[in-house]
Amino acid sequence: MGCEITTRERAGVINPMYDCQPAGAQYAGIGLKDSIPLVHGGQGCSMFVRLLFAQHFKENFDVASTSLHEDSAVFGGHMRIQEGILTLVRRYPQLRIIPVITTCSTEVIGDDVEGNIKYALDQIAKEFPGREVNVFAVHTPSFKSSQVGGYSECVLSTWKAIAKEKAPATGKLNIFPGWVNPGDVVLLKHYLKEFGVQGDIFMDTEDFDSPMLPDKSIHTHGRTTVEDIKASTGALASLSLARYEAASTVDFLKNTHGVPGHQIAAPYGIANTDAMLQKISEITGKPIPDSLVHERGVAIDALQDLAHMFFANKKVAIFGHPDLVIGLADFCTEVELEPTLLLLGDDNTRYKKDPRLLAMKEKVPYDMEVVCNADLWELEKRVKDGSKKYDLILGHSKGRYVAIDANIPMARVGFPTFDRAGLYRHPTMGYRGAMLLGEQIANAMFTHMEYTRDREWLLNTW
Amino acid sequence: MPMVLLECDKDIPERSKHIYLKVEGEDQRDFLPISNAATIPGTLSERGCAFCGAKLVIGGVLKDTIQMIHGPIGCAYDTWHTKRYPTDNGHFNMKYVWSTDMKESHIVFGGEKRLEKSINEAFDEMPDIKRMFVYTTCPTALIGDDIKAVAKKVMQERPDVDIFCCECPGFAGVSQSKGHHVLNINWINEKVGTVEPEITSEYTMNFIGDFNIQGDTQLLDQYWKRLGIQVVAHFTGNGTYDDLRAMHKAQLNVVNCARSSGYIANELKKQYGIPRLDIDSWGFSYMAEGIRKICSFFGIEERGEKLIAEEYAKWKPQLDWYKERLQGTKMAIWTGGPRLWHWTKSVEDDLGVQVVAMSSKFGHQEDVEKVIARGGAGTYYIDDGNELEFFEIIDLVKPEVIFTGPRVGELVKKLHIPYVNGHGYHNGPYMGFEGFVNLARDMYNAKANPLLKLAATDIRGGNKAALKEAAE
């Protein structure tokens, strides 16, 4: 009994869980309004990431490339950075932000990104007097960290570049949820509204779920503006809901602008959400509203129907973003599911010291493995050689074949979830997220019972 | 009509050399857009990289081969779960991707040991698999890892495995097209001729430049089987590594996608004297013509005519049903390159559809020549089109359906224009007679979608008649 934290022993990866750093940086970059990230690297580095976003959200997002070729590999890609920035600024008059995202190739070549940005800015000042375009470097070599760190790095670089001055006090809350779905952003906004608290969600990705309108206008873009970022330095406090994706920017606001920062557990499951609401209440002095107590009750009521009847003693394998996986493990234990395998997919050495994992290590009454720097083969191997049995898989669509081939029910959660319709629209965070995920899990299990004729009659009277 | 400078391109006037509006009486001898040239940075082009041209398009199709990508994790992650090329062995090719997961220390000290370890692990973890492609990526090419030396060492230690090395980092060339080229040439020079096939028919051919998108290869295979022709190697739809090593023993190379795979057909001709025959596998008239050409080569014309007659009897009525309904539809094609010239005339001849704009990501001069020769007047021909150009062209020609990729498809959805997946298809296969009926059906269903009318309806203003009409 107990929880063992290990690391992948193989050198190579078979079926990765995460994309590389520049991919994460691009995800952060599209969360900004009037922004087109410019990826300094080969064309594939942006093309496939755009495709990935389109697969997940069923939406198109603008990301540009400096289109690095052999000559740049030999002589440096300086002119391509300048040309890329100027072409964007000239052709997109609304453009106000260009994160210049580096890749493995341009970091190896060692292009002076900052110097070239300066040249481009001088040119912009001449051509477009009075126009403010925020162009800044985001250093995300693909051979370090992963999409998780890349997301964090781009958010931090954005704040360092734009949030330079201390703004007057706004009384607002900064909430940095990390890499989440539009459904989560909407949920967090709803909570603030119920509280009567003013706040900003960074990044505000609500419009990643955008409409087809009679006037054919396109609204698929982030909502976080330059003004929002500048004003964030005058906020009442910042909340980081993701230790590995948001904490660095919250620390920056604290250390540079004196905005009090709070790192809390990602609000997955009931108790983690409780803690978040209590923290908001504590910071703002406002009581937790009755409406949220009601929502909490509805969620617990729904989960109560599922937990000891269907979920108890079921063994679960979970993979995905670190804050999500750890949060989902908490959620599982709340509903009597047993998270027996957690996979964290990059070489961040801090995972092993994560207080949430250490706490789990203390308390789990069954065998549990946490594999750091894991790939999806870690899961598939355990399933295939029969050394471990899982009744449920929780993770993103890249792991779908493990579930399909081994006939294990799987609930899609996280990023990307391209093989199920509309999941990005629903929250996973909060009471509602916990309830929806619990029901999604139950329905996956019920369908599985029917297809495998495994006591499907049980549901006749449920 | 000269080349066109679009309003959105006024700051990058060189783009006018890439956009051509054909008028009556002109042909490709009068005006020819520039192609296969470097993209202007920051234009939001649709192009991918050379690495993906090799791995994602050609190598990754093989059903029995580990695809080891020597580089940071993204190159593997991004070229996985983005294609629809099934196989008859449970889609091994789509389920897995392998990476050496390069980290900073390997960039500094070299990644060859890492690669060797990863290769051995992959074979150990999947003991039934004995074949592997190894790819370089941007950083491993820049630091100069000798992947061939590593592959050689592993092959010496594991005599039952065979490894092919493909050195085309993402920054090579101007588009994915470079990767097609490198893989083609390296394969023929290093692997063709190293396996002797079992010959079971007096008529043998290689089928080149078809990647079994949604079962294209498997559909066409039924034809070759009925004609009694043995396909020695499929390059690379539903193909195996060792079949491709035996390409030198076919009597004929039949080429569908001349852009991605014409190189290997040319080399097979040069090095082994095997003739090259280009066909179009999309469209009734083209498919019939292709079958006739192949059968004529083997002297089995009657068999060909019988097959064509049977297929026409079975599928032509369905095609005509769609033709009646699609006649005059304005279509745009924004895909890689060859599908422009494969499709522009076949949809016109077989379905009465008018192609009003075409954009090629990576076509070369010969592709542009072919499409302008086959395409109509009043049509825009664009090389390496970008997002703002697409918006402007849509305004100019108002297409009713666009064949393009899913991401651009999501973009044009907001403009109330339905898309059909021009790369991976909606519900294929699209090749062959049955396949072209599938294409026609998908185009019809896209155009007939009632949601488009509803989307265009503004419910404000109390126009009840319009609302009712939209709902019907």
Side-chain angles (χ1 to χ4, degrees), chain A residues 65-81:
Chain A
S65 171
T66 59
S67 299
L68 190 85
H69 301 311
E70 283 104 337
D71 53 347
S72 313
V74 179
F75 304 113
H78 308 290
M79 288 316 291
R80 301 197 79 80
I81 300 174

Side-chain angles (χ1 to χ4, degrees), chain A residues 11 19 62 213 377 380 398, chain B residues 78 80 96 121 125 387 416:
Chain A
D19 207 333
D62 289 348
L213 290 172
W377 187 250
E380 184 162 340
K398 290 282 186 183
Chain B
D78 288 342
W80 175 43
Y96 300 104
E121 283 167 1
E125 294 292 326
E387 184 171 296
H416 308 175

Side-chain angles (χ1 to χ4, degrees), chain A residues 247-326:
Chain A
S248 58
T249 307
V250 168
D251 287 347
F252 164 79
L253 281 166
K254 185 171 149 194
N255 298 334
T256 313
H257 298 295
V259 182
H262 305 269
Q263 175 62 55
I264 59 170
Y268 297 107
I270 305 296
N272 286 334
T273 305
D274 292 347
M276 178 179 74
L277 296 185
Q278 281 158 351
K279 181 59 83 176
I280 293 173
S281 174
E282 180 193 312
I283 295 168
T284 61
K286 297 204 175 190
I288 293 174
D290 292 349
S291 61
L292 296 186
V293 175
H294 182 87
E295 275 184 39
R296 181 178 187 271
V298 169
I300 295 175
D301 185 272
L303 293 168
Q304 172 73 9
D305 291 329
L306 302 169
H308 61 264
M309 169 90 192
F310 296 108
F311 291 171
N313 309 121
K314 295 280 195 295
K315 305 207 178 309
V316 191
I318 312 175
F319 64 88
H321 279 206
D323 288 294
L324 176 70
V325 168
I326 297 168

Side-chain angles (χ1 to χ4, degrees), chain B residues 217-279:
Chain B
T217 310
Q218 288 156 301
L219 189 150
L220 296 189
D221 261 349
Q222 297 168 23
Y223 301 164
W224 318 136
K225 216 171 161 188
R226 279 154 71 187
L227 294 168
I229 301 170
Q230 179 191 355
V231 178
V232 174
H234 285 286
F235 191 91
T236 53
N238 196 33
T240 69
Y241 187 101
D242 281 3
D243 286 350
L244 291 175
R245 298 165 78 186
M247 294 182 91
H248 60 297
K249 279 299 162 70
Q251 296 156 311
L252 178 67
N253 289 311
V254 177
V255 179
N256 175 68
C257 181
R259 179 73 285 120
S260 66
S261 323
Y263 315 103
I264 199 163
N266 289 348
E267 288 300 312
L268 284 163
K269 187 175 176 191
K270 214 168 17 176
Q271 298 184 25
Y272 297 96
I274 309 169
R276 164 177 169 167
L277 178 65
D278 284 40
I279 68 163

Side-chain angles (χ1 to χ4, degrees), chain B residues 62 64-65 130-131 162 187 191 194-197 232-233 239-247:
Chain B
L62 293 175
D64 63 347
T65 303
K130 303 291 182 194
R131 299 291 178 260
D162 201 82
W187 182 264
K191 296 299 176 189
T194 57
V195 157
E196 291 304 310
V232 174
T240 69
Y241 187 101
D242 281 3
D243 286 350
L244 291 175
R245 298 165 78 186
M247 294 182 91

Side-chain angles (χ1 to χ4, degrees), chain A residues 414-444:
Chain A
F415 178 95
T417 55
F418 49 76
D419 65 337
R420 287 295 180 274
L423 291 186
Y424 53 85
R425 186 168 297 119
H426 308 296
T428 307
M429 288 182 159
Y431 303 128
R432 190 171 158 74
M435 178 179 74
L436 291 176
L437 182 63
E439 288 168 346
Q440 190 193 338
I441 290 168
N443 288 335

Side-chain angles (χ1 to χ4, degrees), chain A residues 358-432:
Chain A
L358 296 178
M360 241 172 261
K361 219 173 157 172
E362 293 299 309
K363 70 181 182 196
V364 284
Y366 39 78
D367 280 331
M368 177 175 175
E369 293 173 279
V370 180
V371 186
C372 299
N373 205 16
D375 55 12
L376 289 168
W377 187 250
E378 290 288 334
L379 169 61
E380 184 162 340
K381 222 167 93 156
R382 282 169 173 76
V383 169
K384 272 194 171 152
D385 68 16
S387 63
K388 294 280 161 28
K389 230 184 118 311
Y390 304 104
D391 304 295
L392 174 74
I393 295 173
L394 287 181
H396 57 69
S397 300
K398 290 282 186 183
R400 65 192 300 255
Y401 273 112
V402 183
I404 294 169
D405 284 351
N407 204 8
I408 299 170
M410 173 172 172
R412 273 69 171 171
V413 57
F415 178 95
T417 55
F418 49 76
D419 65 337
R420 287 295 180 274
L423 291 186
Y424 53 85
R425 186 168 297 119
H426 308 296
T428 307
M429 288 182 159
Y431 303 128
R432 190 171 158 74

Side-chain angles (χ1 to χ4, degrees), chain A residues 11-13 15 19 43 55 58-60 62 65 69-70 80 91 144 210 213 377 380-381 398 405, chain B residues 8-9 39 42 48 78 80-81 95-97 99 104 114 121 125 173-174 386-387 407 410 414 416:
Chain A
V13 159
N15 291 1
D19 207 333
Q43 289 162 160
Q55 284 182 303
K58 309 290 181 251
E59 298 282 356
N60 169 70
D62 289 348
S65 171
H69 301 311
E70 283 104 337
R80 301 197 79 80
R91 294 179 86 217
K144 274 189 187 173
S210 76
L213 290 172
W377 187 250
E380 184 162 340
K381 222 167 93 156
K398 290 282 186 183
D405 284 351
Chain B
C8 65
D9 287 339
T39 300
D78 288 342
W80 175 43
H81 290 159
K95 284 182 190 169
Y96 300 104
V97 72
S99 169
E104 192 167 26
R114 178 86 165 183
E121 283 167 1
E125 294 292 326
V174 301
N386 60 58
E387 184 171 296
R407 185 178 53 72
E410 295 300 337
K414 303 290 196 245
H416 308 175

